[in-house]
């Protein structure tokens, strides 16, 4: 059974940093691209970032480019999102999502339950 | 990259069919066949309902179908059931190697 478990969310001050983790199980982690998708309270879905199965290619939304860094550790079956220079508008539930392919195509067949990030002073 | 345009709400009676539109541009929906649809119940993670415009993942009811014409993709739910009441989002790859979601549609079963 595929499982994705996010962790690392919490309350952080504007300008601060946070690292999210997503522990994956039930599939060959290195064979699939992964993404982070966020949802602000009461709002719609927003794609944040993606990484290929090999980790050699990364992609970012303009809203986070230069501030967020996606990475993966296949030895630990874990996806990461390093978030720096956080802003109030980054407040959201962050979901990790498994792509249906080894390269990023944006069809997410499995999702975690999400971790809440709140940026506030 | 602007969000794809979806109607804010669509409603129908049990047993009826409804269609949700998802309008973009030639740089996203119109230029790629990587259009997906997701269902999201309150407080839950999204669920993939349609991928690559018209393909259904295993386990998804055949009451859900997808199509595309030009810059507009559509999701049709036939034989509407109470459990279909949820928010629905489309998504598409873009020419910038990013992904854009739709604005979301709340489906109400009357």
């Amino acid at each position: 059974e595929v499982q994705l478990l996010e962790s690392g969310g919490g309350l952080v001050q504007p300008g601060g940093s946070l690292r999210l983790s997503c522990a994956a199980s039930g599939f060959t982690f290195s064979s699939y691209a992964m993404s982070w998708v966020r949802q602000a309270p009461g709002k719609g879905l927003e794609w944040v970032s993606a990484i290929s199965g090999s980790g050699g290619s990364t992609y970012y939304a303009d809203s986070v480019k230069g501030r967020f860094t996606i990475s993966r550790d296949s030895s630990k079956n874990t996806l990461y999102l390093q978030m720096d220079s956080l802003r109030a508008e980054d407040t959201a539930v962050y979901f990790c999502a498994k792509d249906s392919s080894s390269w990023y195509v944006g069809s997410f067949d499995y999702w975690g339950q999400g971790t809440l990030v709140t940026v506030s002073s | 990259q602007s969000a794809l345009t979806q109607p804010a709400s669509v409603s129908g009676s049990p047993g009826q069919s409804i269609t949700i539109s998802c309008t973009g541009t030639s740089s996203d929906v119109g230029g790629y066949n990587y259009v997906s649809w997701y269902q999201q119940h309150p407080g839950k993670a999204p669920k993939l309902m349609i991928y690559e415009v018209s393909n259904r993942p295993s386990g998804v009811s055949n009451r859900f179908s997808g199509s595309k014409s030009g810059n507009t993709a559509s999701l049709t739910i036939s034989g509407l059931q109470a459990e279909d009441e949820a928010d629905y989002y489309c998504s598409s790859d873009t020419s910038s190697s990013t992904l854009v979601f739709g604005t979301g549609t709340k489906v109400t079963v009357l």
Side-chain angles (χ1 to χ4, degrees):
Chain A
E1 178 191 7
V2 173
Q3 290 193 331
L4 300 171
L5 184 61
E6 302 96 337
S7 61
L11 174 64
V12 62
Q13 291 188 338
S17 298
L18 213 54
R19 188 177 83 155
L20 306 183
S21 299
C22 172
S25 61
F27 65 101
T28 305
F29 183 65
S30 59
S31 293
Y32 295 92
M34 299 290 294
S35 277
W36 288 97
V37 176
R38 67 185 180 184
Q39 187 168 35
K43 303 297 184 182
L45 300 174
E46 180 187 14
W47 174 81
V48 173
S49 182
I51 187 168
S52 62
S54 67
S57 297
T58 58
Y59 310 87
Y60 297 93
D62 287 345
S63 58
V64 306
K65 195 175 296 183
R67 300 187 300 123
F68 290 11
T69 303
I70 191 171
S71 61
R72 64 193 299 161
D73 185 338
S74 291
S75 68
K76 297 182 178 179
N77 285 355
T78 301
L79 174 73
Y80 302 100
L81 185 67
Q82 176 67 41
M83 303 186 296
D84 299 320
S85 303
L86 282 161
R87 307 166 179 167
E89 54 264 36
D90 295 319
T91 294
V93 172
Y94 285 71
F95 297 98
C96 73
K98 171 187 169 293
D99 214 307
S100 58
S101 172
S102 61
W103 63 88
Y104 156 62
V105 298
S107 296
F108 307 129
D109 52 4
Y110 290 93
W111 296 65
Q113 285 306 301
T115 186
L116 176 62
V117 172
T118 303
V119 183
S120 174
S121 56
Chain B
Q1 183 74 45
S2 299
L4 306 175
T5 301
Q6 296 181 233
S9 63
V10 173
S11 62
S13 299
Q16 286 186 330
S17 293
I18 62 170
T19 296
I20 303 168
S21 61
C22 169
T23 301
T25 68
S26 58
S27 295
D28 39 63
V29 175
Y32 300 88
N33 284 327
Y34 289 113
V35 175
S36 300
W37 288 91
Y38 299 89
Q39 175 192 67
Q40 187 180 33
H41 287 107
K44 301 294 186 180
K47 175 185 177 183
L48 181 65
M49 306 302 285
I50 296 288
Y51 66 98
E52 293 176 19
V53 177
S54 60
N55 295 301
R56 262 188 325 274
S58 60
V60 172
S61 170
N62 59 10
R63 298 185 297 104
F64 291 84
S65 62
S67 63
K68 189 183 84 167
S69 178
N71 297 336
T72 299
S74 299
L75 174 71
T76 298
I77 309 174
S78 59
L80 199 62
Q81 299 180 1
E83 67 208 51
D84 300 332
E85 187 161 294
D87 293 326
Y88 291 82
Y89 295 90
C90 62
S91 72
S92 173
D93 279 9
T94 79
S95 58
S96 305
S97 296
T98 60
L99 187 83
V100 60
F101 280 98
T103 50
T105 298
K106 181 177 180 59
V107 169
T108 301
V109 181
L110 302 172

